[in-house]
Amino acid sequence: MALKYRLASENPAKDEVVAQMLERYPDSRVLIIGQYLKQLRRLRKRFEIPLITGQTPNSEREELYRRFSPG
């Protein structure tokens, strides 16, 4: 069961849903939250967006949060 859940969660077809959201809201801040790094890295590469993981240094993380925050 866990394998089926993971396969469904990482389904590349979900990338198209992200693409549609980014196209629909081009001037909005969009936060993509995911569980599997493989999928998130694929999205980062395709859309050239930042990725925060446990390996992201605090200084970089804080800068990304600062840039994401309104105002």
Coordinates of all heavy atoms in Angstrom, one line a residue:
M1 N 0.8 -1.2 0.0 CA 0.0 0.0 0.0 C 0.9 1.3 0.0 O 0.6 2.2 -0.7 CB -0.9 0.0 1.2 CG -1.7 1.3 1.4 SD -3.4 1.0 1.2 CE -4.0 2.5 1.9
A2 N 2.0 1.3 0.8 CA 2.8 2.5 0.8 C 3.4 2.8 -0.5 O 3.5 4.0 -0.9 CB 3.9 2.3 1.9
L3 N 3.8 1.8 -1.3 CA 4.4 2.0 -2.6 C 3.3 2.7 -3.5 O 3.6 3.6 -4.3 CB 4.9 0.7 -3.2 CG 5.5 0.8 -4.6 CD1 6.6 1.8 -4.7 CD2 5.9 -0.5 -5.1
K4 N 2.1 2.2 -3.5 CA 1.0 2.8 -4.3 C 0.8 4.2 -4.0 O 0.6 5.1 -4.8 CB -0.3 2.0 -4.2 CG -0.3 0.6 -4.8 CD -1.6 -0.1 -4.6 CE -1.6 -1.5 -5.2 NZ -2.9 -2.1 -5.0
Y5 N 0.8 4.5 -2.7 CA 0.6 5.9 -2.2 C 1.8 6.8 -2.7 O 1.5 7.9 -3.2 CB 0.6 5.9 -0.7 CG 0.5 7.3 -0.1 CD1 -0.8 8.0 -0.1 CD2 1.6 8.0 0.4 CE1 -0.9 9.3 0.3 CE2 1.5 9.3 0.8 CZ 0.2 9.9 0.8 OH 0.1 11.2 1.3
R6 N 3.0 6.3 -2.6 CA 4.1 7.1 -3.1 C 4.1 7.3 -4.6 O 4.3 8.4 -5.1 CB 5.4 6.4 -2.7 CG 6.6 7.3 -3.1 CD 7.9 6.9 -2.4 NE 8.9 7.9 -2.8 CZ 10.0 8.1 -2.1 NH1 10.2 7.5 -1.0 NH2 10.9 9.0 -2.5
L7 N 3.8 6.3 -5.3 CA 3.7 6.4 -6.8 C 2.6 7.4 -7.2 O 2.8 8.2 -8.1 CB 3.4 5.0 -7.4 CG 4.5 4.0 -7.4 CD1 4.0 2.7 -7.9 CD2 5.7 4.5 -8.3
A8 N 1.5 7.4 -6.5 CA 0.4 8.4 -6.7 C 0.9 9.8 -6.3 O 0.6 10.7 -7.1 CB -0.8 8.0 -6.0
S9 N 1.6 9.9 -5.2 CA 2.0 11.2 -4.7 C 3.0 11.8 -5.7 O 3.0 13.0 -5.8 CB 2.6 11.0 -3.3 OG 1.6 10.6 -2.4
E10 N 3.9 11.0 -6.2 CA 5.0 11.5 -7.1 C 4.6 11.5 -8.6 O 5.5 11.7 -9.4 CB 6.3 10.7 -6.9 CG 6.9 10.9 -5.5 CD 8.2 10.2 -5.5 OE1 8.3 9.0 -5.7 OE2 9.2 10.9 -5.2
N11 N 3.4 11.2 -8.9 CA 3.0 11.1 -10.3 C 3.4 12.4 -11.1 O 3.0 13.5 -10.7 CB 1.5 11.0 -10.3 CG 0.9 10.7 -11.7 OD1 1.5 11.1 -12.7 ND2 -0.2 10.0 -11.8
P12 N 4.1 12.3 -12.1 CA 4.6 13.4 -12.9 C 3.4 14.2 -13.5 O 3.6 15.4 -13.8 CB 5.4 12.8 -14.0 CG 5.9 11.5 -13.5 CD 4.7 11.0 -12.6
A13 N 2.2 13.6 -13.6 CA 1.1 14.4 -14.1 C 0.7 15.5 -13.2 O 0.1 16.5 -13.6 CB -0.1 13.5 -14.3
K14 N 1.1 15.5 -11.9 CA 0.9 16.5 -11.0 C 1.7 17.8 -11.4 O 1.3 18.9 -11.0 CB 1.2 16.1 -9.6 CG 0.2 15.1 -9.1 CD 0.4 14.8 -7.6 CE -0.6 13.8 -7.1 NZ -0.5 13.6 -5.7
D15 N 2.8 17.6 -12.1 CA 3.6 18.7 -12.5 C 2.7 19.7 -13.4 O 2.9 20.9 -13.4 CB 4.8 18.3 -13.3 CG 5.8 17.5 -12.5 OD1 5.4 17.1 -11.3 OD2 6.9 17.2 -13.0
E16 N 1.9 19.1 -14.2 CA 1.0 19.9 -15.1 C 0.0 20.7 -14.3 O -0.3 21.8 -14.7 CB 0.3 19.0 -16.1 CG 1.2 18.4 -17.1 CD 2.2 19.3 -17.8 OE1 1.7 20.4 -18.2 OE2 3.4 19.0 -17.8
V17 N -0.4 20.2 -13.2 CA -1.3 21.0 -12.3 C -0.6 22.2 -11.7 O -1.1 23.3 -11.7 CB -1.9 20.1 -11.2 CG1 -2.7 20.9 -10.2 CG2 -2.7 18.9 -11.7
V18 N 0.7 21.9 -11.3 CA 1.5 23.1 -10.8 C 1.7 24.1 -11.9 O 1.6 25.3 -11.7 CB 2.9 22.5 -10.3 CG1 3.8 23.7 -10.0 CG2 2.7 21.6 -9.1
A19 N 2.0 23.6 -13.2 CA 2.1 24.5 -14.3 C 0.9 25.4 -14.5 O 1.0 26.6 -14.7 CB 2.5 23.7 -15.6
Q20 N -0.3 24.8 -14.4 CA -1.5 25.5 -14.6 C -1.7 26.5 -13.5 O -2.2 27.6 -13.8 CB -2.7 24.5 -14.6 CG -2.8 23.7 -15.9 CD -3.8 22.6 -15.8 OE1 -4.6 22.5 -14.8 NE2 -3.8 21.7 -16.8
M21 N -1.4 26.2 -12.3 CA -1.5 27.1 -11.2 C -0.6 28.3 -11.4 O -1.0 29.5 -11.2 CB -1.2 26.4 -9.8 CG -2.3 25.5 -9.4 SD -1.8 24.6 -7.9 CE -1.2 25.9 -6.8
L22 N 0.6 28.0 -11.8 CA 1.6 29.1 -12.0 C 1.2 30.0 -13.1 O 1.4 31.3 -13.1 CB 3.0 28.6 -12.2 CG 3.6 27.8 -11.0 CD1 4.9 27.2 -11.4 CD2 3.8 28.8 -9.8
E23 N 0.6 29.5 -14.2 CA 0.1 30.3 -15.3 C -1.1 31.1 -14.9 O -1.3 32.2 -15.3 CB -0.2 29.3 -16.5 CG 1.0 28.8 -17.2 CD 0.6 27.8 -18.3 OE1 -0.6 27.7 -18.7 OE2 1.5 27.0 -18.7
R24 N -2.0 30.5 -14.1 CA -3.2 31.1 -13.7 C -3.0 32.3 -12.7 O -3.7 33.3 -12.7 CB -4.2 30.1 -13.0 CG -5.5 30.7 -12.7 CD -6.4 29.6 -12.3 NE -7.7 30.2 -12.0 CZ -8.8 29.6 -11.6 NH1 -8.7 28.3 -11.5 NH2 -9.9 30.2 -11.4
Y25 N -1.9 32.2 -11.9 CA -1.6 33.2 -10.9 C -0.2 33.7 -11.1 O 0.6 33.6 -10.2 CB -1.8 32.6 -9.5 CG -3.2 32.1 -9.3 CD1 -3.4 30.7 -9.3 CD2 -4.2 32.9 -9.0 CE1 -4.7 30.2 -9.1 CE2 -5.5 32.4 -8.8 CZ -5.7 31.1 -8.8 OH -7.0 30.6 -8.6
P26 N 0.1 34.3 -12.3 CA 1.5 34.7 -12.6 C 2.0 35.8 -11.6 O 3.2 35.9 -11.4 CB 1.4 35.3 -14.0 CG 0.0 35.7 -14.2 CD -0.8 34.8 -13.3
D27 N 1.2 36.6 -11.1 CA 1.7 37.7 -10.2 C 1.5 37.4 -8.7 O 1.7 38.3 -7.9 CB 0.9 39.0 -10.6 CG 1.2 39.4 -12.0 OD1 2.4 39.2 -12.5 OD2 0.3 39.9 -12.6
S28 N 1.2 36.2 -8.4 CA 0.9 35.8 -7.0 C 2.1 35.0 -6.5 O 2.9 34.4 -7.2 CB -0.3 34.9 -6.9 OG -1.5 35.6 -7.4
R29 N 2.2 35.0 -5.2 CA 3.2 34.2 -4.5 C 2.6 32.8 -4.4 O 1.5 32.7 -3.9 CB 3.5 34.8 -3.1 CG 4.2 36.1 -3.2 CD 4.5 36.6 -1.8 NE 5.3 37.8 -1.8 CZ 4.8 39.0 -1.8 NH1 3.5 39.2 -1.9 NH2 5.5 40.1 -1.9
V30 N 3.3 31.8 -4.8 CA 2.8 30.4 -4.7 C 3.8 29.6 -3.9 O 5.0 29.7 -4.1 CB 2.7 29.8 -6.1 CG1 2.2 28.4 -6.1 CG2 1.7 30.7 -7.0
L31 N 3.2 28.9 -2.9 CA 4.1 28.0 -2.1 C 3.7 26.6 -2.4 O 2.5 26.2 -2.3 CB 3.8 28.4 -0.6 CG 4.6 27.5 0.4 CD1 6.1 27.8 0.3 CD2 4.1 27.9 1.8
I32 N 4.6 25.8 -2.8 CA 4.4 24.4 -3.1 C 5.0 23.6 -2.0 O 6.2 23.7 -1.7 CB 5.0 24.0 -4.5 CG1 4.5 24.9 -5.6 CG2 4.8 22.5 -4.8 CD1 5.2 24.8 -6.9
I33 N 4.2 22.8 -1.4 CA 4.6 21.9 -0.3 C 4.5 20.5 -0.7 O 3.5 20.1 -1.3 CB 3.7 22.2 1.0 CG1 3.9 23.6 1.4 CG2 4.2 21.2 2.1 CD1 2.9 24.0 2.5
G34 N 5.6 19.7 -0.5 CA 5.6 18.3 -0.9 C 6.3 17.5 0.1 O 7.0 18.0 0.9
Q35 N 6.1 16.2 -0.1 CA 6.7 15.2 0.8 C 8.0 14.6 0.2 O 8.9 14.2 1.0 CB 5.7 14.2 1.2 CG 6.2 13.2 2.2 CD 5.1 12.3 2.7 OE1 3.9 12.4 2.3 NE2 5.4 11.3 3.5
Y36 N 8.0 14.5 -1.1 CA 9.1 13.7 -1.7 C 10.1 14.6 -2.4 O 9.7 15.4 -3.3 CB 8.5 12.6 -2.6 CG 7.6 11.7 -1.9 CD1 6.2 11.7 -2.0 CD2 8.2 10.7 -1.0 CE1 5.4 10.8 -1.3 CE2 7.4 9.9 -0.3 CZ 6.0 9.9 -0.4 OH 5.3 9.0 0.3
L37 N 11.3 14.5 -2.1 CA 12.3 15.4 -2.6 C 12.5 15.2 -4.1 O 12.8 16.2 -4.8 CB 13.7 15.3 -1.9 CG 13.7 15.8 -0.4 CD1 15.0 15.5 0.2 CD2 13.4 17.3 -0.4
K38 N 12.4 14.0 -4.6 CA 12.6 13.8 -6.0 C 11.6 14.6 -6.8 O 12.0 15.3 -7.8 CB 12.4 12.3 -6.3 CG 12.5 11.9 -7.8 CD 12.3 10.4 -8.0 CE 12.3 10.1 -9.4 NZ 12.1 8.6 -9.6
Q39 N 10.4 14.6 -6.4 CA 9.3 15.4 -7.1 C 9.6 16.9 -6.9 O 9.5 17.7 -7.9 CB 8.0 15.1 -6.5 CG 6.8 15.8 -7.1 CD 5.5 15.5 -6.4 OE1 5.4 15.4 -5.2 NE2 4.4 15.4 -7.2
L40 N 10.0 17.3 -5.7 CA 10.2 18.8 -5.5 C 11.4 19.2 -6.3 O 11.4 20.3 -6.9 CB 10.4 19.0 -4.0 CG 9.2 18.8 -3.2 CD1 9.5 18.9 -1.7 CD2 8.1 19.8 -3.6
R41 N 12.4 18.4 -6.4 CA 13.6 18.8 -7.3 C 13.3 18.9 -8.7 O 13.8 19.7 -9.5 CB 14.7 17.8 -7.0 CG 15.4 18.0 -5.7 CD 16.6 17.0 -5.5 NE 17.2 17.3 -4.2 CZ 17.2 16.4 -3.2 NH1 16.8 15.1 -3.4 NH2 17.8 16.7 -2.0
R42 N 12.4 18.0 -9.2 CA 11.9 18.0 -10.6 C 11.2 19.3 -10.8 O 11.4 20.0 -11.8 CB 11.0 16.8 -10.8 CG 10.7 16.7 -12.3 CD 9.9 15.4 -12.6 NE 8.6 15.4 -11.9 CZ 8.2 14.5 -11.0 NH1 8.9 13.4 -10.8 NH2 7.0 14.6 -10.5
L43 N 10.3 19.7 -9.9 CA 9.6 21.0 -10.0 C 10.5 22.2 -10.0 O 10.4 23.1 -10.8 CB 8.5 21.1 -8.9 CG 7.4 20.1 -9.0 CD1 6.5 20.2 -7.7 CD2 6.5 20.4 -10.2
R44 N 11.5 22.2 -9.1 CA 12.5 23.2 -9.0 C 13.2 23.4 -10.4 O 13.3 24.6 -10.9 CB 13.5 23.0 -7.9 CG 14.6 24.0 -7.9 CD 15.7 23.7 -7.0 NE 16.4 22.4 -7.4 CZ 17.3 21.8 -6.7 NH1 17.6 22.2 -5.5 NH2 17.8 20.7 -7.1
K45 N 13.6 22.3 -10.9 CA 14.3 22.4 -12.2 C 13.4 22.9 -13.3 O 13.8 23.8 -14.1 CB 14.9 21.0 -12.5 CG 15.7 21.0 -13.8 CD 16.3 19.6 -14.0 CE 17.2 19.6 -15.3 NZ 17.8 18.3 -15.5
R46 N 12.2 22.3 -13.4 CA 11.3 22.7 -14.5 C 10.9 24.2 -14.5 O 10.9 24.8 -15.5 CB 10.1 21.8 -14.5 CG 9.1 22.2 -15.5 CD 7.9 21.3 -15.6 NE 6.9 21.8 -16.5 CZ 5.8 21.2 -16.8 NH1 5.5 20.0 -16.2 NH2 4.9 21.7 -17.6
F47 N 10.6 24.6 -13.3 CA 10.0 26.0 -13.2 C 11.0 27.0 -12.7 O 10.7 28.2 -12.5 CB 8.8 26.0 -12.2 CG 7.7 25.1 -12.7 CD1 7.4 23.9 -12.1 CD2 7.0 25.4 -13.9 CE1 6.4 23.1 -12.6 CE2 6.0 24.6 -14.4 CZ 5.7 23.4 -13.7
E48 N 12.3 26.6 -12.4 CA 13.3 27.4 -11.9 C 12.9 28.2 -10.7 O 12.9 29.5 -10.7 CB 13.8 28.4 -13.1 CG 14.4 27.6 -14.2 CD 14.8 28.5 -15.4 OE1 14.5 29.7 -15.4 OE2 15.4 28.0 -16.3
I49 N 12.5 27.5 -9.7 CA 12.0 28.1 -8.5 C 12.9 27.6 -7.3 O 13.5 26.5 -7.4 CB 10.5 27.7 -8.2 CG1 10.3 26.1 -8.2 CG2 9.6 28.3 -9.2 CD1 8.9 25.7 -7.9
P50 N 12.9 28.3 -6.2 CA 13.7 27.9 -5.1 C 13.1 26.7 -4.4 O 11.9 26.5 -4.5 CB 13.8 29.1 -4.2 CG 12.8 30.1 -4.7 CD 12.3 29.6 -6.0
L51 N 14.0 26.0 -3.7 CA 13.6 24.8 -3.0 C 14.2 24.9 -1.6 O 15.4 25.1 -1.5 CB 14.0 23.5 -3.7 CG 13.8 22.2 -2.9 CD1 12.3 21.9 -2.7 CD2 14.5 21.0 -3.7
I52 N 13.4 24.7 -0.6 CA 13.9 24.7 0.8 C 13.8 23.3 1.3 O 12.7 22.7 1.3 CB 13.1 25.6 1.7 CG1 13.3 27.1 1.2 CG2 13.6 25.5 3.2 CD1 12.4 28.1 2.0
T53 N 14.9 22.7 1.8 CA 14.9 21.4 2.4 C 15.6 21.4 3.7 O 16.0 22.5 4.1 CB 15.6 20.3 1.5 OG1 17.0 20.6 1.5 CG2 15.1 20.3 0.1
G54 N 15.7 20.3 4.4 CA 16.4 20.3 5.7 C 17.9 20.6 5.5 O 18.6 21.0 6.4
Q55 N 18.4 20.5 4.2 CA 19.8 20.8 3.9 C 20.1 22.3 3.6 O 21.2 22.7 3.5 CB 20.3 19.9 2.8 CG 20.1 18.4 3.0 CD 20.9 18.0 4.2 OE1 22.1 18.3 4.3 NE2 20.3 17.2 5.1
T56 N 19.0 23.0 3.5 CA 19.2 24.4 3.1 C 19.7 25.2 4.3 O 19.2 25.1 5.4 CB 17.8 25.1 2.7 OG1 17.2 24.3 1.7 CG2 17.9 26.5 2.3
P57 N 20.8 25.9 4.1 CA 21.4 26.7 5.2 C 20.4 27.7 5.7 O 19.6 28.3 5.0 CB 22.6 27.4 4.6 CG 22.9 26.6 3.4 CD 21.6 26.0 2.9
N58 N 20.5 28.0 7.0 CA 19.5 28.9 7.6 C 19.5 30.3 7.0 O 18.5 30.9 6.8 CB 19.8 29.1 9.1 CG 19.2 27.9 9.9 OD1 18.3 27.2 9.5 ND2 19.8 27.7 11.1
S59 N 20.7 30.8 6.6 CA 20.8 32.1 6.0 C 20.0 32.1 4.7 O 19.3 33.1 4.4 CB 22.2 32.5 5.9 OG 22.9 31.6 5.0
E60 N 20.2 31.1 3.9 CA 19.5 31.0 2.6 C 18.0 30.9 2.8 O 17.2 31.5 2.2 CB 20.0 29.9 1.8 CG 19.4 29.7 0.4 CD 19.9 28.6 -0.4 OE1 21.0 28.0 0.0 OE2 19.3 28.2 -1.4
R61 N 17.6 30.1 3.8 CA 16.2 29.8 4.1 C 15.6 31.1 4.5 O 14.5 31.5 4.1 CB 16.2 28.8 5.2 CG 14.8 28.4 5.7 CD 14.9 27.4 6.9 NE 15.9 26.4 6.6 CZ 15.6 25.1 6.7 NH1 14.4 24.7 7.0 NH2 16.5 24.2 6.4
E62 N 16.2 31.9 5.4 CA 15.7 33.1 5.9 C 15.5 34.1 4.7 O 14.5 34.9 4.7 CB 16.5 33.7 7.0 CG 16.5 32.9 8.3 CD 15.1 32.9 8.9 OE1 14.4 33.9 8.8 OE2 14.7 31.8 9.4
E63 N 16.5 34.2 3.8 CA 16.4 35.1 2.7 C 15.2 34.7 1.8 O 14.5 35.5 1.3 CB 17.7 35.0 1.9 CG 17.7 35.8 0.6 CD 17.4 37.3 0.8 OE1 17.5 37.9 1.9 OE2 17.0 38.0 -0.2
L64 N 15.0 33.4 1.6 CA 13.9 33.0 0.7 C 12.6 33.3 1.4 O 11.6 33.7 0.7 CB 14.0 31.5 0.4 CG 15.1 31.1 -0.5 CD1 15.3 29.6 -0.5 CD2 14.9 31.6 -1.9
Y65 N 12.5 33.1 2.7 CA 11.3 33.4 3.4 C 11.0 34.9 3.4 O 9.9 35.4 3.2 CB 11.4 33.0 4.9 CG 11.2 31.5 5.1 CD1 11.9 30.9 6.1 CD2 10.3 30.7 4.4 CE1 11.8 29.5 6.4 CE2 10.2 29.4 4.6 CZ 11.0 28.8 5.6 OH 10.8 27.4 5.8
R66 N 12.1 35.7 3.5 CA 12.0 37.2 3.5 C 11.4 37.6 2.1 O 10.5 38.5 2.0 CB 13.3 37.9 3.7 CG 13.2 39.4 3.8 CD 14.6 40.0 3.8 NE 15.3 39.8 2.6 CZ 15.0 40.4 1.4 NH1 14.0 41.3 1.3 NH2 15.7 40.2 0.3
R67 N 12.0 37.0 1.0 CA 11.5 37.4 -0.3 C 10.1 36.9 -0.6 O 9.4 37.6 -1.4 CB 12.5 36.8 -1.4 CG 13.8 37.5 -1.4 CD 14.8 36.9 -2.4 NE 14.3 36.1 -3.4 CZ 15.0 35.1 -4.0 NH1 16.2 34.8 -3.6 NH2 14.5 34.4 -4.9
F68 N 9.7 35.9 0.1 CA 8.3 35.4 -0.1 C 7.3 36.2 0.6 O 6.2 36.4 0.2 CB 8.2 33.9 0.3 CG 6.9 33.3 0.1 CD1 6.5 32.9 -1.2 CD2 6.0 33.1 1.1 CE1 5.3 32.3 -1.5 CE2 4.8 32.5 0.8 CZ 4.4 32.1 -0.4
S69 N 7.6 36.7 1.8 CA 6.7 37.5 2.6 C 6.2 38.7 1.9 O 6.9 39.3 1.2 CB 7.4 37.9 3.9 OG 7.9 36.8 4.6
P70 N 4.9 39.0 2.2 CA 4.3 40.2 1.6 C 5.1 41.5 2.2 O 5.5 41.5 3.3 CB 2.9 40.2 2.1 CG 2.7 39.2 3.1 CD 4.0 38.3 3.0
G71 N 5.2 42.5 1.3 CA 5.8 43.7 1.7 C 7.3 43.7 1.8 O 8.0 44.5 2.1

